[in-house]
Amino acid sequence: MKIISVVFVLTSGLFFSQTAKTIPTDYRKIPEILDTVDYLYPFVKPDKKYAYWKVLRNINDPEKAIIYESQMPDYMTINEPAPPQGFFQECVTENCFSYVIACKSERAEYFTNEQQLRDFIGSVDNISEALLVAKTYGYTFDSKNILGGSYKMESDYFLLYLSKPKDCPAPKESFFIRINKKTGKLEEKSNGLYKNDNCTQ
């Protein structure tokens, strides 16, 4: 019994020593609608000039496969097959993912992994692009808690508090993220653990 008590005290002490620190008051809550990755793409402003680009998911239904497409010139059509791999593996049982096709000088170019998506975005111009870049490194936006869903803009950086998913009922881990607007380079530091409000069992 004494051993159990000692273990409980040690583990609870360890947990509370890792409890997330509070968020500075000048950080704003990320709008809840940006919790859905598909809603981030319309705000992407690629550094390179493309005549047309679109984001797709490799599913059989052609209409549902298109997540977002920019304004396509009348003379242009892209009918390219889905690549064998992409970014944001979204299914457990099936191999489904997203990818970008962009058209420049009448030639199609694929972007099919996380690094290529970051290259496609280039400089980080807005909070949607910052969230996409962070997602390529495995960070998620917690719409229920500012410890995993808040941000601030500075002249050269986006500063965010995001989280990484953990198995239910484990707590989530808050991370302080700094993204260089010009280069897209991401730096991170753990901000501690907090209650997983999205956990349902």
Coordinates of all heavy atoms in Angstrom, one line a residue, residues 97-179:
F97 N -4.8 10.6 -49.0 CA -3.9 11.7 -48.7 C -4.3 12.9 -49.6 O -5.2 12.8 -50.5 CB -2.4 11.3 -48.9 CG -2.2 10.7 -50.3 CD1 -2.1 11.5 -51.5 CD2 -2.1 9.3 -50.4 CE1 -1.9 10.9 -52.7 CE2 -1.9 8.7 -51.7 CZ -1.8 9.5 -52.8
S98 N -3.7 14.0 -49.4 CA -3.9 15.2 -50.2 C -2.6 15.5 -51.0 O -1.5 15.1 -50.7 CB -4.2 16.4 -49.3 OG -5.4 16.2 -48.6
Y99 N -2.8 16.3 -52.1 CA -1.7 16.7 -52.9 C -2.1 17.9 -53.7 O -3.2 18.3 -53.8 CB -1.2 15.6 -53.8 CG -2.2 15.1 -54.8 CD1 -2.2 15.6 -56.1 CD2 -3.2 14.2 -54.5 CE1 -3.2 15.1 -57.1 CE2 -4.1 13.7 -55.4 CZ -4.1 14.2 -56.7 OH -5.1 13.8 -57.6
V100 N -1.1 18.6 -54.2 CA -1.3 19.9 -55.0 C -0.8 19.6 -56.4 O 0.3 19.0 -56.6 CB -0.5 21.1 -54.4 CG1 -0.6 22.3 -55.3 CG2 -1.1 21.4 -53.0
I101 N -1.6 20.1 -57.4 CA -1.1 20.2 -58.8 C -1.2 21.7 -59.1 O -2.2 22.3 -59.0 CB -2.0 19.4 -59.7 CG1 -2.0 17.9 -59.5 CG2 -1.6 19.7 -61.2 CD1 -2.9 17.1 -60.4
A102 N 0.0 22.2 -59.6 CA 0.0 23.6 -60.0 C 0.5 23.6 -61.5 O 1.3 22.8 -61.9 CB 1.0 24.3 -59.2
C103 N 0.0 24.6 -62.2 CA 0.3 24.7 -63.6 C 1.1 26.0 -63.9 O 0.6 27.1 -63.6 CB -1.0 24.7 -64.5 SG -0.7 24.3 -66.2
K104 N 2.2 25.8 -64.5 CA 3.1 26.9 -64.8 C 3.7 26.7 -66.2 O 4.2 25.6 -66.4 CB 4.2 27.1 -63.8 CG 5.1 28.3 -63.9 CD 6.1 28.4 -62.8 CE 6.9 29.7 -63.0 NZ 7.9 29.8 -61.9
S105 N 3.6 27.7 -67.1 CA 4.1 27.5 -68.5 C 3.5 26.3 -69.1 O 4.2 25.5 -69.8 CB 5.6 27.4 -68.5 OG 6.2 28.5 -67.9
E106 N 2.2 26.1 -68.9 CA 1.4 25.0 -69.5 C 1.9 23.6 -69.1 O 1.6 22.6 -69.8 CB 1.4 25.1 -71.0 CG 0.7 26.4 -71.5 CD 0.6 26.5 -73.0 OE1 1.0 25.6 -73.6 OE2 0.2 27.6 -73.4
R107 N 2.6 23.5 -68.0 CA 3.1 22.2 -67.5 C 2.6 22.0 -66.1 O 2.7 22.9 -65.3 CB 4.6 22.1 -67.6 CG 5.2 22.1 -69.0 CD 6.7 21.8 -69.0 NE 7.0 20.5 -68.5 CZ 8.2 20.0 -68.4 NH1 9.2 20.8 -68.7 NH2 8.4 18.8 -67.9
A108 N 2.2 20.8 -65.8 CA 1.7 20.5 -64.4 C 2.9 20.1 -63.5 O 3.8 19.4 -63.9 CB 0.7 19.4 -64.5
E109 N 2.8 20.6 -62.3 CA 3.8 20.2 -61.3 C 3.1 19.7 -60.0 O 2.2 20.3 -59.6 CB 4.6 21.5 -61.0 CG 5.8 21.3 -60.0 CD 6.6 22.5 -59.7 OE1 6.3 23.6 -60.3 OE2 7.5 22.5 -58.8
Y110 N 3.6 18.6 -59.5 CA 3.0 18.0 -58.3 C 3.8 18.4 -57.1 O 5.0 18.6 -57.1 CB 3.1 16.4 -58.4 CG 2.1 15.8 -59.3 CD1 2.4 15.5 -60.7 CD2 0.9 15.4 -58.9 CE1 1.5 14.9 -61.5 CE2 0.0 14.7 -59.7 CZ 0.3 14.5 -61.0 OH -0.6 13.9 -61.8
F111 N 3.0 18.5 -56.0 CA 3.6 18.7 -54.6 C 3.0 17.6 -53.8 O 1.8 17.7 -53.5 CB 3.2 20.1 -54.1 CG 3.8 21.2 -55.0 CD1 3.1 21.7 -56.1 CD2 5.0 21.8 -54.7 CE1 3.7 22.7 -56.9 CE2 5.6 22.8 -55.5 CZ 4.9 23.2 -56.6
T112 N 3.8 16.6 -53.4 CA 3.2 15.4 -52.8 C 3.7 15.0 -51.5 O 3.5 13.9 -51.0 CB 3.4 14.2 -53.8 OG1 4.8 14.1 -54.0 CG2 2.8 14.5 -55.1
N113 N 4.5 15.9 -50.8 CA 4.9 15.6 -49.4 C 4.9 16.9 -48.6 O 4.7 18.0 -49.2 CB 6.2 14.8 -49.3 CG 7.4 15.6 -49.9 OD1 7.5 16.8 -49.7 ND2 8.2 14.9 -50.7
E114 N 5.2 16.7 -47.3 CA 5.1 17.9 -46.4 C 6.1 19.0 -46.8 O 5.8 20.2 -46.8 CB 5.3 17.5 -45.0 CG 4.0 16.8 -44.4 CD 3.8 15.4 -44.8 OE1 4.6 14.8 -45.5 OE2 2.7 14.8 -44.5
Q115 N 7.3 18.6 -47.1 CA 8.3 19.6 -47.5 C 8.0 20.3 -48.8 O 8.1 21.5 -48.9 CB 9.7 18.9 -47.7 CG 10.8 19.9 -48.1 CD 11.0 21.0 -47.1 OE1 11.3 20.7 -45.9 NE2 10.9 22.2 -47.5
Q116 N 7.4 19.5 -49.8 CA 7.0 20.2 -51.0 C 5.8 21.1 -50.8 O 5.7 22.2 -51.5 CB 6.6 19.1 -52.0 CG 7.8 18.4 -52.6 CD 7.5 17.2 -53.5 OE1 6.3 17.0 -53.8 NE2 8.5 16.5 -54.0
L117 N 4.9 20.8 -49.9 CA 3.8 21.7 -49.5 C 4.4 23.0 -48.9 O 4.0 24.1 -49.3 CB 2.8 21.1 -48.6 CG 1.7 22.0 -48.1 CD1 0.9 22.5 -49.3 CD2 0.8 21.3 -47.1
R118 N 5.4 22.9 -48.1 CA 6.0 24.1 -47.5 C 6.7 24.9 -48.6 O 6.6 26.1 -48.6 CB 7.1 23.7 -46.4 CG 6.4 23.1 -45.2 CD 7.4 23.0 -44.0 NE 8.4 22.0 -44.2 CZ 8.4 20.7 -43.8 NH1 7.3 20.3 -43.2 NH2 9.4 19.9 -44.0
D119 N 7.4 24.2 -49.5 CA 8.0 24.9 -50.7 C 6.9 25.6 -51.5 O 7.2 26.8 -52.0 CB 8.8 23.9 -51.5 CG 10.0 23.4 -50.8 OD1 10.4 23.9 -49.8 OD2 10.5 22.3 -51.2
F120 N 5.8 25.0 -51.7 CA 4.7 25.6 -52.5 C 4.2 26.9 -51.9 O 4.0 27.9 -52.5 CB 3.6 24.6 -52.7 CG 2.4 25.1 -53.4 CD1 2.4 25.3 -54.8 CD2 1.2 25.4 -52.7 CE1 1.3 25.8 -55.4 CE2 0.1 25.9 -53.4 CZ 0.1 26.1 -54.7
I121 N 4.0 26.8 -50.5 CA 3.5 28.0 -49.8 C 4.6 29.1 -49.8 O 4.2 30.3 -50.0 CB 3.2 27.6 -48.3 CG1 2.0 26.6 -48.3 CG2 2.9 28.8 -47.5 CD1 1.7 26.0 -47.0
G122 N 5.8 28.7 -49.6 CA 6.9 29.7 -49.6 C 6.8 30.6 -48.3 O 6.7 30.1 -47.2
S123 N 6.9 31.9 -48.5 CA 6.8 32.8 -47.3 C 5.4 32.7 -46.7 O 4.4 32.4 -47.4 CB 7.0 34.3 -47.7 OG 6.1 34.7 -48.7
V124 N 5.4 32.8 -45.4 CA 4.1 32.6 -44.6 C 3.4 34.0 -44.4 O 3.9 34.8 -43.7 CB 4.4 32.0 -43.3 CG1 3.1 31.7 -42.5 CG2 5.2 30.7 -43.5
D125 N 2.3 34.2 -45.1 CA 1.7 35.5 -45.2 C 0.5 35.7 -44.3 O 0.1 36.8 -44.0 CB 1.1 35.7 -46.7 CG 2.2 35.6 -47.7 OD1 3.2 36.3 -47.6 OD2 2.1 34.7 -48.6
N126 N -0.1 34.6 -43.8 CA -1.3 34.7 -42.9 C -1.4 33.5 -42.0 O -0.6 32.6 -42.1 CB -2.5 34.9 -43.8 CG -2.7 33.8 -44.8 OD1 -2.7 32.6 -44.4 ND2 -2.7 34.1 -46.1
I127 N -2.4 33.6 -41.1 CA -2.5 32.6 -40.0 C -2.9 31.2 -40.7 O -2.4 30.2 -40.2 CB -3.6 33.0 -39.0 CG1 -3.7 32.0 -37.9 CG2 -4.9 33.2 -39.6 CD1 -2.4 31.7 -37.1
S128 N -3.6 31.2 -41.8 CA -3.9 29.9 -42.4 C -2.7 29.2 -42.9 O -2.5 28.0 -42.8 CB -4.9 30.2 -43.6 OG -6.2 30.7 -43.1
E129 N -1.8 30.0 -43.6 CA -0.5 29.4 -44.1 C 0.3 28.9 -42.9 O 0.9 27.9 -43.0 CB 0.2 30.4 -44.9 CG -0.4 30.7 -46.3 CD 0.5 31.6 -47.2 OE1 1.4 32.2 -46.7 OE2 0.2 31.6 -48.4
A130 N 0.3 29.7 -41.8 CA 1.1 29.3 -40.6 C 0.6 28.0 -40.0 O 1.4 27.1 -39.7 CB 1.0 30.4 -39.5
L131 N -0.8 27.8 -40.0 CA -1.3 26.6 -39.5 C -1.0 25.4 -40.4 O -0.8 24.3 -40.0 CB -2.8 26.7 -39.3 CG -3.3 27.6 -38.2 CD1 -4.8 27.9 -38.3 CD2 -2.9 27.0 -36.8
L132 N -1.0 25.6 -41.7 CA -0.6 24.6 -42.7 C 0.8 24.1 -42.5 O 1.1 23.0 -42.5 CB -0.9 25.0 -44.1 CG -2.3 24.8 -44.7 CD1 -2.4 25.5 -46.1 CD2 -2.6 23.3 -44.8
V133 N 1.7 25.1 -42.4 CA 3.1 24.8 -42.2 C 3.3 24.0 -40.9 O 4.0 23.0 -40.8 CB 4.0 26.1 -42.1 CG1 5.4 25.8 -41.6 CG2 4.0 26.7 -43.5
A134 N 2.6 24.5 -39.8 CA 2.7 23.7 -38.5 C 2.2 22.3 -38.7 O 2.7 21.4 -38.1 CB 1.9 24.5 -37.5
K135 N 1.1 22.1 -39.4 CA 0.5 20.8 -39.6 C 1.5 19.9 -40.3 O 1.5 18.7 -40.1 CB -0.8 20.9 -40.4 CG -1.5 19.6 -40.5 CD -2.9 19.7 -41.0 CE -3.6 18.3 -41.2 NZ -3.7 17.5 -40.0
T136 N 2.3 20.4 -41.2 CA 3.3 19.6 -41.9 C 4.3 19.0 -40.9 O 5.1 18.1 -41.3 CB 4.0 20.3 -43.0 OG1 4.8 21.4 -42.5 CG2 3.1 20.9 -44.1
Y137 N 4.4 19.6 -39.8 CA 5.3 19.1 -38.7 C 4.6 18.3 -37.6 O 5.2 18.0 -36.6 CB 6.1 20.3 -38.1 CG 7.1 20.9 -38.9 CD1 6.8 22.1 -39.6 CD2 8.4 20.3 -39.1 CE1 7.8 22.7 -40.5 CE2 9.4 20.9 -39.9 CZ 9.0 22.1 -40.6 OH 10.0 22.7 -41.4
G138 N 3.3 18.1 -37.9 CA 2.5 17.2 -36.9 C 1.8 18.0 -35.8 O 1.2 17.4 -35.0
Y139 N 1.8 19.3 -35.9 CA 1.1 20.1 -34.9 C -0.4 20.3 -35.3 O -0.7 20.5 -36.5 CB 1.8 21.5 -34.6 CG 3.2 21.3 -34.1 CD1 4.3 21.4 -34.9 CD2 3.4 21.0 -32.8 CE1 5.6 21.2 -34.5 CE2 4.7 20.8 -32.3 CZ 5.7 20.9 -33.1 OH 7.0 20.7 -32.6
T140 N -1.3 20.3 -34.3 CA -2.7 20.5 -34.6 C -3.2 21.7 -33.8 O -2.6 22.2 -32.8 CB -3.5 19.3 -34.2 OG1 -3.3 19.0 -32.8 CG2 -3.1 18.1 -35.1
F141 N -4.3 22.2 -34.2 CA -5.0 23.4 -33.6 C -6.1 22.8 -32.7 O -7.0 22.1 -33.2 CB -5.5 24.3 -34.7 CG -6.6 25.2 -34.3 CD1 -6.7 25.8 -33.1 CD2 -7.6 25.4 -35.2 CE1 -7.7 26.7 -32.8 CE2 -8.7 26.2 -34.9 CZ -8.7 26.8 -33.7
D142 N -6.1 23.1 -31.5 CA -7.1 22.7 -30.5 C -8.1 23.8 -30.4 O -7.9 24.9 -29.8 CB -6.5 22.4 -29.2 CG -7.5 21.8 -28.2 OD1 -8.7 21.8 -28.4 OD2 -7.0 21.3 -27.1
S143 N -9.3 23.7 -31.0 CA -10.3 24.7 -31.0 C -11.0 24.9 -29.6 O -11.7 25.8 -29.4 CB -11.4 24.4 -32.0 OG -12.0 23.2 -31.7
K144 N -10.8 23.9 -28.7 CA -11.4 23.9 -27.4 C -10.6 24.6 -26.3 O -11.1 24.9 -25.2 CB -11.8 22.5 -26.9 CG -12.6 21.7 -27.9 CD -14.0 22.3 -28.0 CE -14.9 21.4 -28.9 NZ -16.2 22.0 -29.1
N145 N -9.3 24.8 -26.6 CA -8.4 25.3 -25.5 C -7.3 26.2 -26.1 O -6.6 25.8 -27.0 CB -7.8 24.1 -24.8 CG -7.2 24.5 -23.4 OD1 -6.5 25.5 -23.3 ND2 -7.5 23.6 -22.4
I146 N -7.2 27.4 -25.5 CA -6.2 28.3 -26.0 C -4.8 27.9 -25.8 O -3.9 28.3 -26.5 CB -6.4 29.7 -25.4 CG1 -6.2 29.7 -23.9 CG2 -7.7 30.4 -25.8 CD1 -6.1 31.1 -23.3
L147 N -4.6 26.9 -24.9 CA -3.2 26.3 -24.7 C -2.8 25.6 -25.9 O -1.6 25.4 -26.2 CB -3.2 25.4 -23.5 CG -3.4 26.0 -22.1 CD1 -3.7 25.0 -21.1 CD2 -2.1 26.8 -21.8
G148 N -3.7 25.2 -26.8 CA -3.4 24.6 -28.0 C -3.9 25.2 -29.2 O -4.0 24.7 -30.3
G149 N -4.4 26.5 -29.1 CA -5.0 27.2 -30.2 C -5.1 28.7 -30.1 O -6.1 29.3 -30.1
S150 N -3.9 29.3 -30.0 CA -3.8 30.8 -29.9 C -2.6 31.3 -30.7 O -1.7 30.5 -31.0 CB -3.8 31.3 -28.5 OG -2.7 30.7 -27.8
Y151 N -2.6 32.6 -31.1 CA -1.5 33.1 -31.9 C -1.3 34.6 -31.7 O -2.2 35.3 -31.2 CB -1.8 32.8 -33.4 CG -2.8 33.7 -34.0 CD1 -2.4 34.7 -34.9 CD2 -4.2 33.6 -33.8 CE1 -3.3 35.6 -35.5 CE2 -5.1 34.5 -34.4 CZ -4.6 35.5 -35.2 OH -5.5 36.3 -35.8
K152 N -0.2 35.0 -32.2 CA 0.1 36.5 -32.3 C 1.0 36.7 -33.5 O 1.8 35.8 -33.8 CB 0.9 36.9 -31.0 CG 1.2 38.3 -30.9 CD 1.8 38.7 -29.6 CE 3.3 38.3 -29.4 NZ 3.9 38.9 -28.2
M153 N 0.8 37.8 -34.1 CA 1.7 38.2 -35.3 C 2.7 39.2 -34.9 O 2.3 40.2 -34.2 CB 0.8 38.7 -36.4 CG 0.3 37.7 -37.4 SD -0.4 38.4 -38.9 CE -1.5 39.6 -38.3
E154 N 3.9 39.0 -35.3 CA 4.9 40.0 -35.2 C 5.4 40.4 -36.6 O 5.0 39.8 -37.6 CB 6.1 39.5 -34.3 CG 5.7 39.3 -32.9 CD 6.9 38.9 -32.0 OE1 7.9 38.5 -32.5 OE2 6.8 39.1 -30.8
S155 N 6.3 41.4 -36.7 CA 6.7 41.8 -38.0 C 7.4 40.7 -38.8 O 7.2 40.6 -40.0 CB 7.6 43.0 -37.9 OG 8.8 42.7 -37.1
D156 N 8.2 39.9 -38.1 CA 8.9 38.8 -38.8 C 8.5 37.4 -38.5 O 8.9 36.5 -39.2 CB 10.4 38.9 -38.5 CG 11.0 40.2 -38.9 OD1 10.6 40.7 -40.0 OD2 11.9 40.8 -38.2
Y157 N 7.6 37.2 -37.5 CA 7.2 35.9 -37.1 C 5.7 35.7 -36.8 O 5.0 36.7 -36.5 CB 7.9 35.5 -35.8 CG 9.4 35.4 -35.9 CD1 10.2 36.5 -35.7 CD2 10.0 34.2 -36.4 CE1 11.6 36.4 -35.8 CE2 11.4 34.1 -36.5 CZ 12.2 35.3 -36.2 OH 13.6 35.2 -36.4
F158 N 5.2 34.5 -37.0 CA 4.0 34.1 -36.4 C 4.3 33.3 -35.2 O 5.1 32.4 -35.2 CB 3.2 33.2 -37.4 CG 2.4 33.9 -38.4 CD1 2.8 34.1 -39.7 CD2 1.1 34.4 -38.0 CE1 2.1 34.8 -40.6 CE2 0.3 35.1 -38.9 CZ 0.8 35.3 -40.2
L159 N 3.7 33.7 -34.1 CA 3.9 33.0 -32.8 C 2.6 32.3 -32.4 O 1.5 32.9 -32.4 CB 4.3 34.0 -31.7 CG 5.5 34.9 -32.0 CD1 5.7 35.9 -30.9 CD2 6.7 34.1 -32.2
L160 N 2.7 31.0 -32.2 CA 1.5 30.2 -32.0 C 1.6 29.2 -30.8 O 2.7 28.8 -30.5 CB 1.1 29.3 -33.2 CG 1.0 30.0 -34.5 CD1 2.3 29.8 -35.3 CD2 -0.2 29.4 -35.3
Y161 N 0.5 28.9 -30.1 CA 0.4 27.8 -29.2 C -0.5 26.8 -29.8 O -1.6 27.0 -30.0 CB -0.1 28.3 -27.8 CG 0.9 29.1 -27.0 CD1 1.0 30.5 -27.1 CD2 1.8 28.4 -26.2 CE1 1.9 31.2 -26.4 CE2 2.8 29.1 -25.5 CZ 2.8 30.5 -25.6 OH 3.8 31.2 -24.8
L162 N 0.2 25.6 -30.1 CA -0.6 24.5 -30.8 C -0.3 23.3 -29.9 O 0.3 23.3 -28.9 CB -0.1 24.3 -32.2 CG -0.3 25.5 -33.1 CD1 0.4 25.2 -34.5 CD2 -1.8 25.8 -33.3
S163 N -0.9 22.2 -30.4 CA -0.8 20.9 -29.6 C -0.4 19.8 -30.5 O -0.4 19.9 -31.8 CB -2.1 20.6 -28.9 OG -3.1 20.3 -29.8
K164 N 0.0 18.7 -29.9 CA 0.2 17.4 -30.7 C -0.8 16.4 -30.1 O -0.9 16.3 -28.9 CB 1.6 16.9 -30.5 CG 2.6 17.6 -31.5 CD 3.9 16.9 -31.7 CE 4.7 17.5 -32.8 NZ 6.0 16.9 -33.0
P165 N -1.4 15.7 -31.0 CA -2.4 14.7 -30.5 C -1.8 13.6 -29.7 O -0.7 13.1 -30.0 CB -3.1 14.2 -31.8 CG -2.0 14.4 -32.8 CD -1.3 15.6 -32.4
K166 N -2.5 13.2 -28.6 CA -2.1 12.0 -27.8 C -3.3 11.1 -27.7 O -4.4 11.5 -27.9 CB -1.6 12.5 -26.4 CG -0.3 13.2 -26.5 CD 0.2 13.6 -25.1 CE 1.6 14.2 -25.1 NZ 2.7 13.2 -25.4
D167 N -3.0 9.9 -27.3 CA -4.1 8.9 -27.2 C -5.0 9.3 -26.0 O -4.6 9.8 -25.0 CB -3.6 7.5 -27.0 CG -2.8 6.9 -28.2 OD1 -3.2 7.4 -29.3 OD2 -2.0 6.1 -28.1
C168 N -6.3 9.1 -26.2 CA -7.3 9.3 -25.2 C -7.1 8.2 -24.1 O -6.8 7.1 -24.4 CB -8.7 9.1 -25.8 SG -10.0 10.1 -25.2
P169 N -7.1 8.5 -22.8 CA -7.5 9.8 -22.2 C -6.2 10.6 -21.8 O -6.3 11.4 -20.9 CB -8.2 9.4 -20.9 CG -7.5 8.1 -20.5 CD -7.1 7.4 -21.8
A170 N -5.1 10.4 -22.4 CA -3.9 11.1 -22.0 C -4.1 12.6 -22.3 O -4.8 13.0 -23.2 CB -2.7 10.6 -22.9
P171 N -3.4 13.5 -21.5 CA -3.5 14.9 -21.7 C -2.8 15.3 -23.0 O -2.0 14.5 -23.5 CB -2.8 15.5 -20.5 CG -1.9 14.4 -20.0 CD -2.6 13.1 -20.3
K172 N -3.2 16.5 -23.5 CA -2.5 17.0 -24.7 C -1.3 17.8 -24.2 O -1.1 18.2 -23.1 CB -3.4 17.9 -25.5 CG -4.5 17.2 -26.2 CD -5.2 18.1 -27.2 CE -6.2 17.3 -28.1 NZ -6.8 18.2 -29.0
E173 N -0.3 17.9 -25.2 CA 0.9 18.7 -24.9 C 0.8 20.0 -25.7 O 0.6 20.0 -26.9 CB 2.1 17.9 -25.3 CG 3.4 18.6 -24.9 CD 4.6 17.7 -25.0 OE1 4.5 16.6 -25.5 OE2 5.7 18.2 -24.6
S174 N 0.9 21.1 -25.0 CA 1.0 22.4 -25.6 C 2.4 22.8 -26.1 O 3.4 22.5 -25.4 CB 0.5 23.5 -24.5 OG 0.7 24.8 -25.0
F175 N 2.5 23.4 -27.2 CA 3.8 23.7 -27.8 C 3.8 25.2 -28.2 O 2.8 25.7 -28.8 CB 4.1 22.9 -29.0 CG 4.6 21.5 -28.7 CD1 3.6 20.5 -28.6 CD2 5.9 21.2 -28.5 CE1 4.0 19.2 -28.3 CE2 6.3 19.9 -28.2 CZ 5.4 18.9 -28.1
F176 N 4.9 25.9 -27.9 CA 5.1 27.2 -28.4 C 5.8 27.1 -29.7 O 6.9 26.5 -29.8 CB 5.9 28.1 -27.4 CG 6.3 29.4 -27.9 CD1 5.4 30.4 -28.2 CD2 7.6 29.6 -28.3 CE1 5.8 31.6 -28.7 CE2 8.0 30.9 -28.8 CZ 7.1 31.9 -29.0
I177 N 5.2 27.7 -30.7 CA 5.7 27.6 -32.1 C 6.1 29.0 -32.6 O 5.3 29.9 -32.5 CB 4.7 27.0 -33.1 CG1 4.1 25.6 -32.5 CG2 5.2 26.8 -34.5 CD1 5.0 24.5 -32.5
R178 N 7.2 29.1 -33.2 CA 7.6 30.3 -33.9 C 7.9 30.0 -35.3 O 8.8 29.2 -35.6 CB 8.8 30.9 -33.2 CG 9.2 32.3 -33.7 CD 10.1 33.1 -32.9 NE 11.5 32.5 -33.0 CZ 12.6 33.2 -32.6 NH1 12.5 34.3 -32.0 NH2 13.8 32.6 -32.8
I179 N 7.2 30.7 -36.3 CA 7.4 30.5 -37.7 C 7.9 31.8 -38.3 O 7.3 32.8 -38.2 CB 6.1 30.0 -38.4 CG1 5.6 28.7 -37.8 CG2 6.3 29.9 -39.9 CD1 4.3 28.2 -38.3

